[in-house]
Amino acid sequence: MKAPKFSYVRAESVEHACKLLAEHGDEARILAGGQSLIPTLNMRLSRPALLIDINRLEHLAGAIFNGKEVRVGTLTRHADVMLSHMVAKYLPLVAEAIPHVAHVAVRNRGTFGGSVALADPAAEMPACLLALGGRLVLQSVRGTREVAAEDYFHGLYQTARAPDEMLIEALIPPQTSDERSSFKELSRRHGDFAVAGVAARARVKSGTISNVRLVYFGSEVKPTLAKTAMAAAEGKIWNDATAEAVSTALASDLDPMDNLLGKPATKLHWQRVLTQRALDDITSKAKAA
Amino acid sequence: MTGTVTPKARLTPHDRPHSYVGRSLSRAGAKRAVAGKGRYTDDITLPRMLHAAFVRSPWAHARIKGIDIAAARKAPGVRVVMTGAEVAKLCTGPWVGTLTCFPTMKSAPQFPLAVERACWHGEPVVMVIADTRALAEDAAELVEIIYEELPVTVDKTTALGPGAVVLHPELGDNLAFEKTIDIGNVDQAFESADLIVEETYDFARHTAVSLEPRVLLADWDAASERLQIWTSSQTPHMIQHVIANTLGIPDHNVRVVAPDVGGSFGLKIHTYGDEIATALAAKVLGRPVKFVADRLESFGSDIHARENLIKARMAFTKAGDITAVDFDVVAGAGAYSQYPRTSVFEANQILNITAGPYKHKHYRAKATVVYLNKVPSSQYRAVGHPIGITVGESLLDLAATKLGIDPLEIRRRNAFPDAAFPTKTASGVKLADMSFTRCFDVLEKSIGYRALRADQAALRKQGVYRGIGLAAFIKGTAPGPNGYYGVGGAPISAQDACTIKLEPNGGIICAVGVTDQGQGVNDVMQQIAASALGVEMAAIRIISGDTDATPYGGGTYASRATAIGGEAVHQAARALRAEVLELAGVLLQAKPETLDLISGKIVDAATGMERLPLREIGRIAHFQVGQFPNTVHPQLSHTRRFRLLDDLYIFTNGIQAAHVEVDMETGFIKHLKHWVVEDCGRVINPQLADEQVRGGCVQGLGGALYEHCVYDENGQLINGTMADYLTPMSTEMPDIVVEHVVTPTSASELGAKGVGESGTGAAPAALMNAVNDALLPFEARVTAQPITPESILIALGRV
Ligand SMILES: Cc1cc2nc3c(=O)[nH]c(=O)nc-3n(C[C@H](O)[C@H](O)[C@H](O)COP(=O)(O)OP(=O)(O)OC[C@H]3O[C@@H](n4cnc5c(N)ncnc54)[C@H](O)[C@@H]3O)c2cc1C
């Protein structure tokens, strides 16, 4: 459990980091919180030649609302997302999800951008980004581009980010006052990656739900927008019949992985239960408001 | 002070003013550990020290066709690279993990590293010694081994069937051990039964996961031909012998020191090839060599345990009396029987203790232990008990439901009454000094049993499903000399010893054969010594874990430290006390019977008046011994040994209860609260005893809910990391209420029984019974551990 040899450079600026990424390509890795990267090095599961440490680029940390959207810097620690007033005010879905991310010690080091860059299928932040229609800002020596969350997550640890690109920040539209959101997940122990989970949002008007967005994670290879289930719920009163229709539709949206955490049928079952609970939660939050 | 003390009221070690027995003194070692000042083996760095890394088999079964170490040998910092064959040549011979107390058992010879064949995924094959562990790992990657992959045997239920791959052809088949107990007339009892309940229970393999992994540092002194070992061990004397014997060094020229040990749970009472090879490397190179098992190699080389499949049935009368028990255990051992304690103990223990609290008379139990291409299995905390207790308690609940009897009542009805002891279980083990009746009463009150049942019924109507699970138990502690191990030919002592010495300034040095793994054994020994002797705690220094400095002993395992080692301390301290009073009598010209030693002072027994401080005895007896007449020869040092006589164990008893809530939609379990009422005899330090019980419960609950070494059909261990292997964590664990009923053992004067494993033994049974109680309205049951949310959904027919 000792990492193989690697070189280490502390990035002086984003440009410096991008230059190094351009030079070393897939041989280099950005080092953010290190909570996922360092274990893979120690287990010799990955052996990059160069680590580019961005921890001193403090301007990449923090969440602000610029009047249009919330910008979450890549280096924002999970712990700071949890404490952020901006997040609490404009992104209640993220605020509800973040306590599910790992444990205190890991949240103190682990970063928002690290989680997005890694794209673990059970990670909470990617699911929230997709549910909220966020965009990701990527920079390289070739320039800067924005990628919508829907186009960013490609598969198991696969994203739209090119090897020479660095993730800079996420741009997330604020949740509107007439919508409600809910975040539900199941994990074997608190802080473990989820075995199933849903990030849900909708507008609720006199019992009718619209603008429904349901994103599933944990069971799928990547955060997954459940379009058929969303259509089945859209414009409907949230009742047993709608729940049934959504539950049925979910089977065509999801393709759960078969692994140690459960069989595909079990995971589909869990996602159905969580969907029911999330939409119950959304409608009861609407009632309470 | 006026002397109104009558001779009859003379103080005993347990009620003197400074008696420490029965008091929750905080652990001296705790402060040190919390402050980061602990000194574990890996904290020791010696000049010129080298580090070992091992190349381990990626296959569960493979012939080693060739090994090319040329590139590794040339790698930076590498001092030596040794193959299994080279290591074997330097050993006096292979080990064979059999004991004569298991007459029918067989096992194949085993060397420290695999020689011609690797028989499990993770078996060490090549050792690399380099300047740092990182360099050793770099070089290990350069070793090229040509394997011919062989078919495997990984399923214990087919391991003896036709066509099964035989792991060790010289043994003929994969059978390690077979044993049947058949008492009374079981068939007839089943024929005439009013009710028969029958189920099959499946227990998954798991492992101990100590916080501090296995670690060994060896230093060969060529000048004196002595080998010094520091290692994280529970049993320094056993390890001394095994290393000495394997390396061909006289035992007394091997010194084994166990510094601070960060948890052990039975995993550190065994012999591991990588550790022996490390010691060998130190001797070959003439330089200190350290090996620290990392977490990945721990999963693939620390002993595993608990893999058992049990088909069981129980016969009852209508009134709820157990009339017969019948079960069949198939245990999956690993590739070899673990030396020197064997891999068949667990199954044997299941035969001893299943349905042990109850007074049935017809008992048949069969154990079949088979070899598999997996990590060798062996003794781990509460050996066999979680399995045997689950089987017995689960069948009992099943019958209670069918007969419409309350689970607590059916236990009361069947358990041996407190007046019955000493007695014997149907399986033939002796039980003495027990207290089921009182324990059941205490538990009933403690959990508010009736109210909890009423609450359960009310909540069910609201769709909240809670369950209450009970598990009564017997637990074998403090093994005697006529059962297993030593008597079966293993270099393991069933006695333990204490040497206690009075120093010139009145300080006491107390060297013990038992060892401390962080649970506070040393503190408990100190409390016992201080109380028996009559001095303050601070006057005593305990030495343990050093074969050069302590009398020979078995070490700490099988809940024996306090029961056996503690009694040796008690006796040695009493011997020293008697001598001190003799010497004081001479100096004070008083009869020793009229004197007492209290809080480090010689006092007049009748009046309590101080006559002489203890340190004066020390000073005079060491420095001015001429003050004594020529007929008096102060010894000031006393060794006492203690062992059980004929008994197999000192059995303890008790009952546990679990309260859970099951989410019937997701299958997730919330463990609301847990209770333990147990009888470990005299409680030396209530806080330490309680924490042993709590920690034990958590370890048991880990097995019941989470822990599982998962093998695929090719014998690959597929979840050997802390990310994939789930251990219990504090957030999921309930509050655990611990209470003691005290029936001192009649086997010793101190009266202490073992306490370290009873939590582990019965917690899984209580938990499983609670889950099944919650599932009762759905007519669903789970019978496999760990109980996963998915397994509950399957039982409910929801997936
Ligand atoms: C015990 C434990 C439990 C955990 N549980 C959870 C959980 O429940 N949910 C969850 O979501 N996560 C969990 N995690 C993961 C944790 O959230 C990680 O911190 C996170 O996934 C990665 O963030 P990091 O800053 O540590 O990234 P690092 O480990 O530093 O990097 C991860 C990867 O992302 C790349 N990277 C990082 N930043 C950038 C960037 N700006 N541009 C390009 N590439 C970049 C790195 O090169 C690397 O490949 C857990 C981790 C642990 C150790």
Side-chain angles (χ1 to χ4, degrees):
Chain A
M1 282 252 243
K2 301 285 181 204
K5 255 196 197 138
F6 56 82
S7 300
Y8 168 95
V9 176
R10 198 172 78 211
E12 306 295 341
S13 62
V14 169
E15 290 68 30
H16 182 204
C18 288
K19 190 167 159 270
L20 290 168
L21 280 176
E23 279 166 21
H24 297 271
D26 205 26
E27 290 284 285
R29 288 283 181 289
I30 299 282
L31 172 65
Q35 298 302 293
S36 298
L37 180 59
I38 299 295
T40 66
L41 295 186
N42 285 348
M43 291 195 239
R44 298 192 174 217
L45 294 172
S46 71
R47 39 184 82 228
L50 173 67
L51 294 193
I52 306 165
D53 183 353
I54 59 167
N55 280 278
R56 295 284 177 98
L57 307 182
E58 276 162 26
H59 66 284
L60 296 179
I64 52 153
F65 181 59
N66 61 11
K68 206 166 109 233
E69 48 202 355
V70 181
R71 313 174 74 108
V72 184
T74 189
L75 207 56
T76 314
R77 312 281 166 189
H78 297 309
D80 293 325
V81 171
M82 204 158 157
L83 293 174
S84 164
H85 295 303
M86 294 296 142
V87 168
K89 186 165 173 196
Y90 297 106
L91 306 173
L93 179 67
V94 174
E96 198 178 337
I98 194 78
H100 293 280
V101 178
H103 315 274
V104 177
V106 175
R107 286 199 297 265
N108 283 340
R109 294 290 309 162
T111 64
F112 188 90
S115 181
V116 174
L118 184 66
D120 188 292
E124 289 82 359
M125 291 304 110
C128 289
L129 272 177
L130 185 53
L132 295 172
R135 285 165 298 134
L136 296 154
V137 178
L138 299 170
Q139 188 173 331
S140 69
V141 293
R142 296 176 287 125
T144 299
R145 63 175 179 137
E146 281 183 17
V147 182
E150 272 173 62
D151 303 322
Y152 179 82
F153 298 104
H154 286 181
L156 209 58
Y157 305 108
Q158 302 294 315
T159 70
R161 190 178 63 83
D164 69 341
E165 280 180 314
M166 174 177 162
L167 178 63
I168 304 298
E169 61 193 4
L171 305 172
I172 313 172
Q175 292 181 239
T176 54
S177 58
D178 60 347
E179 77 162 60
R180 298 286 167 265
S181 56
S182 182
F183 188 91
K184 300 281 174 208
E185 76 167 53
L186 292 170
S187 62
R188 287 295 299 280
R189 302 170 304 175
H190 182 83
D192 281 355
F193 279 113
V195 296
V198 59
R201 56 193 285 234
R203 289 195 183 144
V204 188
K205 212 168 175 186
S206 38
T208 302
I209 47 179
S210 61
N211 289 57
V212 183
R213 225 168 141 85
L214 299 170
V215 172
Y216 293 85
F217 65 99
S219 60
E220 311 303 301
V221 292
K222 57 172 184 170
T224 302
L225 203 57
K227 291 189 175 145
T228 332
M230 281 152 52
E234 190 62 32
K236 302 278 166 50
I237 306 260
W238 180 241
N239 56 21
D240 286 355
T242 311
E244 188 62 42
V246 170
S247 187
T248 308
L250 215 44
S252 52
D253 291 321
L254 301 184
D255 184 14
M257 294 179 282
D258 188 357
N259 56 26
L260 279 179
L261 301 173
K263 304 221 165 306
T266 308
K267 290 179 180 168
L268 180 60
H269 171 83
W270 280 328
Q271 296 292 30
R272 285 175 162 152
V273 172
L274 293 180
T275 306
Q276 171 90 41
R277 291 180 181 182
L279 286 164
D280 283 351
D281 186 29
I282 283 177
T283 46
S284 72
K285 275 173 180 164
K287 257 189 217 140
Chain B
M1 189 188 263
T2 52
T4 53
V5 182
T6 63
K8 226 180 133 211
R10 194 181 163 96
L11 298 171
T12 75
H14 309 307
D15 50 21
R16 286 199 191 93
H18 275 97
S19 177
Y20 299 98
V21 167
R23 286 172 56 188
S24 289
L25 303 183
S26 63
R27 212 152 54 76
K31 216 173 178 180
R32 217 160 48 85
V34 170
K37 304 278 187 209
R39 188 176 155 88
Y40 299 85
T41 299
D42 194 31
D43 293 322
I44 299 167
T45 296
L46 300 181
R48 304 175 68 242
M49 186 171 84
L50 302 172
H51 297 263
F54 292 87
V55 184
R56 293 174 185 274
S57 173
W59 308 113
H61 198 190
R63 192 172 310 287
I64 299 165
K65 307 265 285 190
I67 302 180
D68 183 353
I69 59 170
R73 198 162 255 164
K74 279 190 243 132
V78 171
R79 301 296 163 163
V80 75
V81 180
M82 287 171 91
T83 63
E86 287 167 319
V87 167
K89 254 186 260 152
L90 297 171
C91 295
T92 53
W95 308 308
V96 181
T98 55
L99 288 174
T100 56
C101 51
F102 301 120
T104 60
M105 86 163 290
K106 53 188 201 261
S107 183
Q110 184 188 8
F111 281 103
L113 311 183
V115 180
E116 286 164 358
R117 266 182 325 135
C119 289
W120 82 85
H121 173 207
E123 184 175 1
V125 181
V126 172
M127 173 171 65
V128 179
I129 307 289
D131 292 351
T132 68
R133 171 70 184 228
L135 289 171
E137 285 188 26
D138 287 345
E141 286 188 332
L142 302 175
V143 172
E144 281 205 38
I145 304 175
I146 302 161
Y147 291 104
E148 177 196 332
E149 220 189 317
L150 298 171
V152 297
T153 294
V154 289
D155 180 351
K156 59 189 166 297
T157 62
T158 55
L160 297 177
V165 173
V166 175
L167 264 76
H168 306 290
E170 69 272 31
L171 301 182
D173 57 25
N174 291 320
L175 184 65
F177 178 59
E178 214 171 23
K179 178 177 171 177
T180 304
I181 299 180
D182 194 351
I183 307 290
N185 194 333
V186 173
D187 291 330
Q188 200 190 327
F190 274 95
E191 267 160 39
S192 56
D194 294 332
L195 171 73
I196 296 171
V197 288
E198 184 166 350
E199 245 171 8
T200 298
Y201 300 92
D202 193 353
F203 298 86
R205 210 170 232 268
H206 55 111
T207 185
V209 199
S210 58
L211 199 54
E212 182 206 22
R214 294 188 294 107
V215 44
L216 183 136
L217 166 59
D219 186 17
W220 171 250
D221 176 2
S224 63
E225 300 201 323
R226 297 201 57 177
L227 182 66
Q228 160 107 38
I229 303 282
W230 291 263
T231 183
S232 182
S233 173
Q234 302 170 241
T235 55
H237 282 108
M238 186 201 93
I239 293 296
Q240 173 193 45
H241 177 80
V242 171
I243 290 180
N245 202 40
T246 310
L247 270 56
I249 308 167
D251 288 24
H252 60 276
N253 282 342
V254 175
R255 178 184 182 192
V256 176
V257 173
D260 280 329
V261 172
S264 49
F265 317 112
L267 99 91
K268 294 172 183 173
I269 58 174
H270 305 290
T271 304
Y272 294 93
D274 46 23
E275 296 179 16
I276 305 299
T278 302
L280 209 140
K283 187 164 176 251
V284 168
L285 291 165
R287 288 181 67 169
V289 181
K290 183 188 278 180
F291 166 64
V292 184
D294 68 26
R295 197 51 76 185
L296 299 178
E297 28 189 15
S298 293
F299 278 112
S301 63
D302 290 359
I303 56 103
H304 291 180
R306 311 275 203 253
E307 182 179 350
N308 284 271
L309 186 75
I310 304 190
K311 195 162 179 283
R313 57 184 188 141
M314 228 185 235
F316 288 84
T317 64
K318 266 200 216 73
D321 294 319
I322 305 171
T323 52
V325 177
D326 183 14
F327 65 91
D328 204 329
V329 185
V330 179
Y336 295 89
S337 172
Q338 187 81 4
Y339 181 80
R341 289 172 196 258
T342 83
S343 299
V344 308
F345 214 84
E346 183 175 78
N348 189 69
Q349 203 68 309
I350 294 167
L351 301 200
N352 279 337
I353 62 98
T354 300
Y358 309 113
K359 52 194 181 198
H360 48 88
K361 298 229 153 43
H362 307 283
Y363 187 84
R364 184 169 54 211
K366 182 179 177 211
T368 308
V369 185
V370 297
Y371 291 114
L372 303 174
N373 290 109
K374 297 181 183 176
V375 172
S377 67
S378 197
Q379 282 76 303
Y380 161 51
R381 197 174 193 173
V383 188
H385 288 70
I387 294 149
I389 296 170
T390 298
V391 170
E393 295 301 296
S394 192
L395 286 174
L396 194 56
D397 267 16
L398 191 55
T401 305
K402 300 219 154 138
L403 294 167
I405 304 175
D406 178 87
L408 185 56
E409 284 322 308
I410 203 165
R411 287 175 171 78
R412 281 207 165 101
R413 184 174 188 95
N414 283 287
F416 290 108
D418 290 4
F421 303 105
T423 187
K424 270 192 171 181
T425 63
S427 67
V429 299
K430 185 185 143 192
L431 304 179
D433 315 308
M434 289 200 164
S435 56
F436 287 110
T437 320
R438 282 169 289 155
C439 287
F440 292 176
D441 291 349
V442 172
L443 183 92
E444 183 175 22
K445 239 173 127 185
S446 180
I447 73 178
Y449 186 66
R450 300 295 145 199
L452 211 59
R453 284 277 176 216
D455 186 50
Q456 175 187 35
L459 284 169
R460 260 183 206 168
K461 292 196 190 110
Q462 300 166 28
V464 175
Y465 296 95
R466 292 190 171 174
I468 304 159
L470 303 177
F473 64 88
I474 59 169
K475 168 74 190 73
T477 76
N482 295 325
Y484 312 105
Y485 295 155
V487 69
I492 298 168
S493 163
Q495 58 82 27
D496 228 293
C498 167
T499 297
I500 193 164
K501 301 186 277 189
L502 174 66
E503 300 289 285
N505 67 347
I508 305 293
I509 303 274
C510 181
V512 296
V514 293
T515 54
D516 193 326
Q517 289 76 43
Q519 74 278 65
V521 166
N522 285 358
D523 302 77
V524 165
M525 296 304 132
Q526 198 173 352
Q527 281 178 256
I528 294 168
S531 304
L533 192 56
V535 301
E536 293 186 359
M537 286 287 280
I540 296 184
R541 190 156 73 79
I542 301 288
I543 297 175
S544 70
D546 182 346
T547 56
D548 266 11
T550 68
Y552 204 99
T556 296
Y557 59 89
S559 300
R560 73 187 292 279
T562 306
I564 303 291
E567 178 69 7
V569 170
H570 180 76
Q571 295 295 345
R574 290 194 32 151
L576 178 58
R577 176 187 153 76
E579 192 195 9
V580 163
L581 294 181
E582 279 295 327
L583 297 175
V586 173
L587 294 174
L588 298 168
Q589 303 198 343
K591 285 207 168 72
E593 312 85 79
T594 66
L595 300 172
D596 204 351
L597 176 55
I598 293 179
S599 303
K601 297 177 186 88
I602 312 293
V603 301
D604 187 279
T607 64
M609 198 173 72
E610 181 176 344
R611 301 292 305 275
L612 199 66
L614 177 61
R615 91 182 103 77
E616 270 301 282
I617 309 277
R619 185 182 66 81
I620 295 167
H622 279 283
F623 299 143
Q624 297 184 355
V625 69
Q627 285 193 33
F628 290 104
N630 286 350
T631 53
V632 175
H633 303 284
Q635 299 301 304
L636 310 176
S637 167
H638 296 266
T639 297
R640 287 293 179 276
R641 292 178 184 279
F642 180 69
R643 54 126 167 156
L644 295 191
L645 301 177
D646 301 320
D647 294 344
L648 198 55
Y649 290 95
I650 302 175
F651 272 93
T652 69
N653 69 281
I655 183 164
Q656 298 196 15
H659 191 210
V660 304
E661 186 173 310
V662 180
D663 180 336
M664 297 298 165
E665 289 186 322
T666 62
F668 277 65
I669 298 165
K670 188 162 187 209
H671 195 159
L672 303 166
K673 200 159 176 178
H674 198 89
W675 295 263
V676 181
V677 180
E678 69 87 55
D679 187 345
C680 62
R682 190 183 301 286
V683 181
I684 309 301
N685 182 321
Q687 187 184 8
L688 292 181
D690 289 0
E691 296 313 333
Q692 277 299 299
V693 174
R694 290 199 179 95
C697 281
V698 169
Q699 213 151 17
L701 294 171
L705 289 169
Y706 303 108
E707 299 185 51
H708 187 177
C709 298
V710 183
Y711 280 89
D712 71 9
E713 68 279 8
N714 301 316
Q716 295 283 316
L717 177 61
I718 56 176
N719 68 335
T721 75
M722 288 303 273
D724 300 316
Y725 181 96
L726 307 183
T727 53
M729 301 212 295
S730 57
T731 35
E732 279 70 37
M733 289 295 109
D735 275 349
I736 301 169
V737 179
V738 183
E739 292 182 76
H740 304 277
V741 166
V742 176
T743 314
T745 171
S746 46
S748 71
E749 207 174 288
L750 189 62
K753 309 167 186 168
V755 72
E757 301 171 285
S758 51
T760 312
L767 191 276
M768 195 153 105
N769 280 348
V771 169
N772 282 327
D773 188 41
L775 291 173
L776 206 57
F778 300 89
E779 285 172 32
R781 278 177 68 82
V782 288
T783 54
Q785 294 182 6
I787 305 168
T788 63
E790 184 168 50
S791 73
I792 289 183
L793 292 178
I794 291 169
L796 287 166
R798 302 221 158 142
V799 297

